[in-house]
């Protein structure tokens, strides 16, 4: 079964940038539409951005113009380049399929935007 591991989070100042990675194993990654999600403690997970197997992106309103989703199927990896970060972007970021599957939620990677 597919396993997903997120990485690349950290502490960054407002206006800064981070690039998250999601590496897959145990699956034919190139066939799968994928997405990035985030969760603030106590709130529901929300969609940040999605990308089809062919590389067509889809963004939430909060991500448009600031974040870029991409993938490298040869490396079994999906990325999220986050620019112009705001304190409200602080959350744990997860990757999953385009339509999330409970089984595939990993531990996520913490992003903290603070001065």
């Amino acid at each position: 079964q597919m396993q997903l591991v997120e990485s690349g989070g950290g502490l960054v100042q407002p206006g800064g940038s981070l690039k998250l990675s999601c590496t897959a194993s145990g699956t034919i990654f190139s066939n799968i539409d994928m997405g990035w999600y985030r969760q603030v403690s106590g709130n529901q997970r929300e969609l940040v951005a999605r990308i089809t197997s062919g590389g067509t992106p889809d963004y939430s309103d909060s991500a448009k113009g600031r974040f870029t989703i991409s993938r490298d199927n040869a490396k079994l990896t999906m990325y999220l380049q986050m620019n112009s970060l705001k304190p409200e972007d602080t959350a744990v970021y997860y990757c999953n399929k385009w339509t999330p599957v409970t089984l595939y939620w990993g531990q996520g990677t913490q992003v903290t935007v603070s001065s």
Side-chain angles (χ1 to χ4, degrees):
Q1 68 185 33
M2 182 169 67
Q3 292 184 325
L4 301 169
V5 178
E6 303 93 346
S7 62
L11 173 63
V12 63
Q13 292 187 342
S17 299
L18 280 175
K19 187 173 185 177
L20 307 184
S21 299
C22 168
T23 302
S25 61
T27 190
I28 303 176
F29 180 72
S30 60
N31 292 348
I32 301 173
D33 301 336
M34 296 290 295
W36 282 101
Y37 304 83
R38 67 187 183 187
Q39 184 175 28
V40 177
S41 180
N43 292 355
Q44 285 189 326
R45 275 191 191 104
E46 62 177 9
L47 171 69
V48 177
R50 300 184 294 189
I51 188 167
T52 67
S53 59
T56 301
D58 177 46
Y59 296 98
S60 66
D61 288 343
S62 63
K64 284 178 184 175
R66 299 189 300 127
F67 296 179
T68 302
I69 191 171
S70 62
R71 65 192 295 162
D72 185 336
N73 289 336
K75 294 183 178 180
L76 307 184
T77 301
M78 176 179 64
Y79 304 99
L80 186 68
Q81 176 68 48
M82 303 188 295
N83 299 328
S84 303
L85 282 161
K86 305 174 182 179
E88 51 263 44
D89 294 318
T90 295
V92 179
Y93 285 70
Y94 301 88
C95 58
N96 205 311
K97 297 178 73 173
W98 182 283
T99 300
V101 176
T102 300
L103 183 63
Y104 298 148
W105 290 121
Q107 293 190 339
T109 187
Q110 175 71 48
V111 171
T112 302
V113 185
S114 174
S115 56

